[in-house]
Amino acid sequence: MLVDTFGRTATDLRVSLTDRCNLRCTYCMPAEGLPWLPKAELLTDEEILRLIRIAVRLLGVDEVRFTGGEPLVRPGIAGLVRQVAELEPRPRISLTTNALALARLAPTLKDAGLDRVNVSLDTLDPEVFRELTRRDRFADVVAGLAAAAQAGLTPVKVNSVLMRGVNDAEAPALLRWCLERGYELRFIEQMPLDAQHGWDRAEMVTAEEILAALEREFTLTPEGKAVRGAAPAETWLVDGGPGRVGVIASVTRPFCGDCDRVRLTADGQVRTCLFAREESDLRGAMRDGASDEELAERWRVAMLGKKRAAGIGEPGFVQPERPMSAIGG
């Protein structure tokens, strides 16, 4: 098991398949992009599969989520999904994506064994989308969402970040749009993960503001802790259900005490927290000939260094040097 010194057990593994992305979202990276990792430093498909197998068989992981960068830009992703789905015990398999390639790949991924997807979409205005992402691809995201639902990659979840003066008035419209299509919307407080280190807590749209905007048009009934479990999102039934909406208030309502996640970066580093300042190298040990049990023990030791809380935006908080695209969301 992956247990830290505060008694938390990590069962949810986030695997970054690449640091590359085909969007240039303003809150993630500069317009010119970032220096990408050299290919030799990236884990191969075989190395990724080996580490996931160790996590599932030796360390108690029961959920694997593929992230990036943008995971769908990695060649062979369907093959990776298929091999993970063949593991015993079989973990739940999900994917966080910008959906640009999802209309094409959704049926293949479903056939390979992918269970569901999370899609990032911050606005319903194509022009605002272009300004936020620096790409004119709004229609592709909408098509990708529809294809995911049709393929049965459900529940299809939509992740939205609201930014003051940009899209902060869109909360009710986003919720209505998702409810009409059967998607589950999750609002995420903007976190300090930008490569430019320009995040300002005062400019962040808070969970309270989001909920206040929604409650002007909808009746929200909290589902409570029993439904939430270790999930990062607090959820509410909308107008009595069955539709739901969630808010991930990582900054103003941190949920570190219930965290069950651990991350593997695209270059084979263990990160026990999205905001960790330290990483533990599995790639080097693996390439030096370490056995599965030796790699598992390195992973267990890494978990012992997990801090009690991330302290996002609090006095003394230091933003990670590596941008979100290199860490995996």
Side-chain angles (χ1 to χ4, degrees), residues 27 118-124 132 145 157-163 167 170-171 173-175 177-178 184-190 205 210 245-248:
Y27 55 82
N118 284 43
V119 173
S120 300
L121 179 63
D122 302 319
T123 179
L124 299 176
L132 278 173
L145 279 162
K157 295 185 179 180
V158 175
N159 296 337
S160 294
V161 176
L162 298 183
M163 287 145 283
N167 63 340
E170 291 197 55
L174 280 163
L175 178 53
W177 188 85
C178 287
E184 290 192 14
L185 179 61
R186 298 288 185 271
F187 290 103
I188 305 174
E189 287 183 338
Q190 186 180 4
V205 181
I210 295 167
V245 66
V247 177
I248 299 176

Side-chain angles (χ1 to χ4, degrees), residues 57-239:
R57 292 181 176 173
L58 301 181
L59 298 172
V61 164
D62 60 20
E63 180 163 357
V64 174
R65 178 180 298 188
F66 291 115
T67 70
E70 170 47 45
L72 295 186
V73 304
R74 181 170 179 128
I77 184 173
L80 270 174
V81 170
R82 187 176 303 279
Q83 291 179 86
V84 173
E86 291 171 351
L87 292 177
E88 292 291 343
R90 184 198 188 281
R92 298 184 298 278
I93 310 170
S94 58
L95 175 80
T96 296
T97 174
N98 62 28
L100 297 194
L102 197 53
R104 173 172 56 87
L105 292 175
T108 301
L109 291 169
K110 177 63 177 180
D111 181 68
L114 188 67
D115 295 310
R116 65 172 190 83
V117 294
N118 284 43
V119 173
S120 300
L121 179 63
D122 302 319
T123 179
L124 299 176
D125 184 328
E127 180 58 26
V128 175
F129 181 92
R130 186 190 65 77
E131 292 175 1
L132 278 173
T133 66
R134 303 185 178 100
R135 299 290 187 270
D136 189 13
R137 304 292 299 273
F138 176 77
D140 294 317
V141 179
V142 173
L145 279 162
Q150 184 174 2
L153 294 171
T154 53
V156 175
K157 295 185 179 180
V158 175
N159 296 337
S160 294
V161 176
L162 298 183
M163 287 145 283
R164 201 173 303 283
V166 179
N167 63 340
D168 52 333
E170 291 197 55
L174 280 163
L175 178 53
R176 188 172 293 105
W177 188 85
C178 287
L179 290 171
E180 289 170 352
R181 290 158 179 78
Y183 308 149
E184 290 192 14
L185 179 61
R186 298 288 185 271
F187 290 103
I188 305 174
E189 287 183 338
Q190 186 180 4
M191 293 180 284
L193 290 166
D194 59 306
Q196 306 93 308
H197 288 206
W199 179 85
D200 183 349
R201 180 171 178 146
E203 294 300 313
M204 179 190 69
V205 181
T206 67
E208 290 298 332
E209 293 174 283
I210 295 167
L211 292 170
L214 296 179
E215 287 174 334
R216 286 194 285 269
E217 300 190 29
F218 304 94
T219 299
L220 303 183
T221 305
E223 293 195 285
K225 179 66 177 176
V227 172
R228 181 182 185 184
E234 296 178 73
T235 57
W236 289 259
L237 291 176
V238 181
D239 293 338

